[in-house]
Amino acid sequence: MRVLLSETPDKKTRSYINVEPDFLLKLIENDYGLHEVIDMFNPDMPIRLFFDIDVEDIGAQPHSEYLTRTLTMLNAYYKTTDSDWTITSANTDKKASYHIYSSKYYTTLKKLRNDIL
């Protein structure tokens, strides 16, 4: 698995490492702020289903409303349940932000791109 270690603010210079899944689990136990890098050039590469939801200017709408609506759509489309997804969030007063990953299903980049377009 290719993992992004660091990058410059302009994103022109990046540092990566390749790690085995077991070693990666040990690294993230200590929260090194690592990011998985997905090879976007191979459309047949298997990847976990993932979605990045960012909503600006949410006003009085509760953050959870965006997550609930998104999970409802994902579950209907993929025939999954809420427990099939791993969810992280970084919400503020004005922005709802969620990363949603499949806990057990994968797809290809080609299919994922077709699903979301």
Side-chain angles (χ1 to χ4, degrees):
M1 179 177 291
R2 190 172 179 209
V3 176
L4 176 65
L5 284 181
S6 65
E7 66 184 359
T8 57
D10 62 6
K11 300 184 187 300
K12 290 184 178 181
T13 304
R14 294 178 174 172
S15 173
Y16 302 95
I17 59 170
N18 287 311
V19 296
E20 294 297 319
D22 290 342
F23 182 65
L24 180 62
L25 286 174
K26 290 180 183 181
L27 287 175
I28 61 176
E29 284 175 0
N30 294 316
D31 189 15
Y32 284 101
L34 302 173
H35 300 274
E36 181 179 359
V37 177
I38 299 169
D39 174 6
M40 302 300 280
F41 302 105
N42 178 358
D44 297 318
M45 183 180 113
I47 58 169
R48 288 179 295 152
L49 287 169
F50 70 94
F51 302 90
D52 183 3
I53 310 301
D54 291 311
V55 182
E56 304 266 347
D57 299 322
I58 62 170
Q61 188 86 303
H63 291 98
S64 60
E65 178 64 26
Y66 295 101
L67 180 60
T68 300
R69 289 188 347 215
T70 301
L71 286 176
T72 298
M73 289 186 288
L74 290 174
N75 289 335
Y77 186 83
Y78 290 107
K79 299 187 180 15
T80 55
T81 65
D82 288 358
S83 65
D84 292 327
W85 304 98
T86 299
I87 301 159
T88 61
S89 65
N91 299 319
T92 67
D93 291 341
K94 296 183 180 187
K95 181 178 177 183
S97 180
Y98 293 96
H99 291 171
I100 304 170
Y101 300 90
S102 172
S103 299
K104 56 187 188 179
Y105 300 111
Y106 72 93
T107 188
T108 64
L109 283 172
K110 181 189 228 176
K111 178 156 177 21
L112 184 59
R113 287 177 177 150
N114 288 336
D115 288 351
I116 60 172
L117 296 179

